[in-house]
Amino acid sequence: MTDSNWLKIALQLNGRGGASELAAEQPLAETSAYWVHLDYTREESEQWLHRQSIPKAVIDSLTAAETRPRASEVAGGVLVYLRGVNLNPGARPEDMIALRMWVGPTGLVSSQKRALLSVDAVKQTLDSQQGPATISALVDELVDQLIWRMEEVIENLESEVEGCALQLEEAPTSSLTPQLSLLRRRAITLRRYLAPQREALIKLQNESLFAAADTMLIREATDRLQRLLEDLDAAREHATLLQEEVFSVQNEAINDRMYLLAIISALFLPLGFLTGLFGINVGGLPGVEDPHAFWWFCSGVGVIAVGVAIWMRKRRWL
């Protein structure tokens, strides 16, 4: 029987797509085709692994706090670290969940911290008698479920980038900048784990524990993961280009305003000089005693302003 606190899954595959539950106290050495899934953060999980005489190197690997996707041979089996997108309510998909697996000669021991929908989906297929028949097929199914859920997340990311592109075409606005920055960060975070995961799956294809048919399925999953990486890179580059376009639009708007201010300043520069000159309080200014001098001065200033505007127009400054 399984304990929901630390022993999440304890099953023995029957070779026909189904499985029967294992008791926690049942020795794994006397069992074949088993799948045990633990919460590695619980002390009971580590104690149980020691009681089952699991090699210490495997125990340390299954309970490691920090992992990076990889595959390597450990203690006569294959240790596989994979990552799955976080589809739990309220979570960010790019906050990926680590899945640790040790494929031993007679069974599979896996562990995780947070709930992973891919693991639950595979267990449901076994409960319905439509699941994998062998341990290597079980690993294939877990890999397939992990990558299948990544496809939807990356497609949504691409859709959001396309939405930003359409919005930029309709009405360029600086409000797109934080949204595009967030999309780029999400793409970078996803790629951080997907790239080494591809390498781990490539290494997994060459393991002797897997039958030829199962190796083919892993190869197909690797190809799908490669396509997802390419889509992710394309989405990230598209978001980068859109962000640069937003900056360009913003700079053009600023330059237009600065240009307009410069033209206005140049237009009023001679006028400001004249008004400043005639505003000094010294004797000898022309027209001081003439009652019509103010209007003559305004007319002259107007003519100069028009003349400066015509000159700017001829030089194509306007």
Side-chain angles (χ1 to χ4, degrees), residues 134-147:
T134 63
I135 294 301
S136 58
L138 174 61
V139 176
D140 290 343
E141 185 67 21
L142 287 169
V143 170
D144 182 73
Q145 288 288 336
L146 289 173
I147 296 178

Side-chain angles (χ1 to χ4, degrees), residues 110-131:
S110 57
S111 65
Q112 69 181 62
K113 177 181 179 181
R114 293 170 291 177
L116 196 57
L117 297 183
S118 299
V119 173
D120 296 337
V122 175
K123 183 179 183 299
Q124 290 175 6
T125 63
L126 290 170
D127 293 339
S128 61
Q129 306 297 313
Q130 297 178 348

Side-chain angles (χ1 to χ4, degrees), residues 9-66:
I9 299 173
L11 299 173
Q12 182 176 15
L13 277 60
N14 59 19
R16 299 183 301 276
S20 57
E21 289 196 354
L22 289 176
E25 61 275 8
Q26 183 171 343
L28 293 182
E30 302 174 1
T31 310
S32 60
Y34 57 82
W35 178 24
V36 178
H37 189 64
L38 308 167
D39 180 351
Y40 76 88
T41 62
R42 299 296 300 272
E43 185 177 352
E44 296 93 330
S45 298
E46 186 171 353
Q47 293 173 352
W48 182 86
L49 289 170
H50 282 291
R51 290 197 303 270
Q52 294 292 340
S53 300
I54 301 294
K56 187 177 185 306
V58 175
I59 296 176
D60 292 341
S61 300
L62 291 175
T63 58
E66 297 293 332

